[in-house]
Amino acid sequence: GENVEQHPSTLSVQEGDSAVIKCTYSDSASNYFPWYKQELGKRPQLIIDIRSNVGEKKDQRIAVTLNKTAKHFSLHITETQPEDSAVYFCAASRGGNEKLTFGTGTRLTIIP
Amino acid sequence: GAVVSQHPSRVICKSGTSVKIECRSLDFQATTMFWYRQFPKKSLMLMATSNEGSKATYEQGVEKDKFLINHASLTLSTLTVTSAHPEDSSFYICSASGRGAGNEQFFGPGTRLTVL
């Protein structure tokens, strides 16, 4: 089955700086890669996703890159703000309606 | 986006009792629902996938006789934790995908189960 690894497990960044979180996956049939933000005791919130037919996608301060050959994808958050502090999970699946395999999570702390 | 609700949000029960958790899609037809479990400070782990009208597919290591899943309609799936024990205490989250929800899945708010 699919295996998703995520690094780093914790990340502290000064407010205004950029944060990068990286994930690798093992299943070459995976073609959907969402990123979720989760606050304590809440549901995961989809913040951005990318499908295998594109290499990069951007939405305001958030961007995701995908390298299918190397089987890795990354989340980039620019101009970080205190409200960006949360746990972020990457995930992979064989389609948007298919089961998700999650990474182990990154606790991001933005230092004011 | 599409809306998924879960009930109850929190439940505390005694060891040995059974607990039922409901997951509902409010504004779309959920042809597929997923049940995840999340232990404190850990990731979400898929327990099972259920398609409306058929038996759930359980992930390796998940006991199907302990975690009973029913998906009898296009808007409702239930997870029953039978003979609950303290080690079953966790955050249980459902997600749903289907007609009218685009090509992604939507998460419920989760149920915090505490077994005493």
Side-chain angles (χ1 to χ4, degrees):
Chain A
E2 175 68 283
N3 181 47
V4 178
E5 295 190 357
Q6 183 172 344
H7 299 280
S9 56
T10 61
L11 179 61
S12 294
V13 172
Q14 286 289 141
E15 182 178 354
D17 287 352
S18 296
V20 180
I21 303 171
K22 299 183 178 183
C23 289
T24 61
Y25 64 98
S26 61
D27 183 1
S28 56
S30 289
N31 59 18
Y32 176 63
F33 308 93
W35 285 88
Y36 294 91
K37 176 183 181 182
Q38 189 181 32
E39 296 177 353
L40 189 63
K42 305 287 186 184
R43 77 186 88 192
Q45 279 181 283
L46 179 69
I47 55 171
I48 196 166
D49 58 12
I50 191 167
R51 298 180 194 270
S52 60
N53 56 343
V54 296
E56 185 173 355
K57 184 177 177 181
K58 190 173 181 181
D59 182 5
Q60 299 184 341
R61 299 188 295 111
I62 296 172
V64 57
T65 58
L66 171 65
N67 183 326
K68 281 221 77 176
T69 304
K71 294 198 186 74
H72 65 70
F73 56 113
S74 300
L75 176 71
H76 304 251
I77 306 174
T78 58
E79 301 172 22
T80 53
Q81 301 167 2
E83 51 266 36
D84 294 330
S85 295
V87 179
Y88 291 80
F89 292 98
C90 63
S93 75
R94 292 187 174 189
N97 295 323
E98 302 292 324
K99 65 180 183 180
L100 291 166
T101 300
F102 283 84
T104 47
T106 297
R107 179 170 299 279
L108 175 64
T109 302
I110 307 302
I111 305 165
Chain B
V3 181
V4 176
S5 70
Q6 236 178 289
H7 179 80
S9 57
R10 252 175 219 276
V11 57
I12 300 172
C13 69
K14 292 182 178 179
S15 189
T17 61
S18 294
V19 174
K20 181 185 282 188
I21 302 169
E22 292 185 349
C23 177
R24 293 181 185 273
S25 57
L26 300 185
D27 52 3
F28 68 101
Q29 294 183 324
T31 50
T32 305
M33 285 187 170
F34 305 90
W35 286 95
Y36 296 86
R37 181 167 51 181
Q38 186 176 29
F39 291 109
K41 298 188 178 182
K42 298 294 185 183
S43 186
L44 286 82
M45 297 298 292
L46 181 68
M47 299 174 69
T49 302
S50 74
N51 293 299
E52 184 266 335
S54 46
K55 287 185 179 177
T57 302
Y58 290 81
E59 294 298 299
Q60 196 170 14
V62 178
E63 299 173 61
K64 62 180 181 181
D65 294 329
K66 179 170 181 62
F67 299 99
L68 302 178
I69 292 172
N70 183 282
H71 190 171
S73 80
L74 284 171
T75 58
L76 174 64
S77 176
T78 60
L79 166 68
T80 301
V81 182
T82 62
S83 187
H85 291 284
E87 57 265 31
D88 298 324
S89 298
S90 188
F91 193 48
Y92 291 87
I93 310 176
C94 69
S95 70
S97 66
R99 293 192 280 270
N103 191 17
E104 65 177 280
Q105 55 188 272
F106 294 86
F107 285 86
T111 296
R112 171 78 53 198
L113 171 63
T114 302
V115 185
L116 302 176

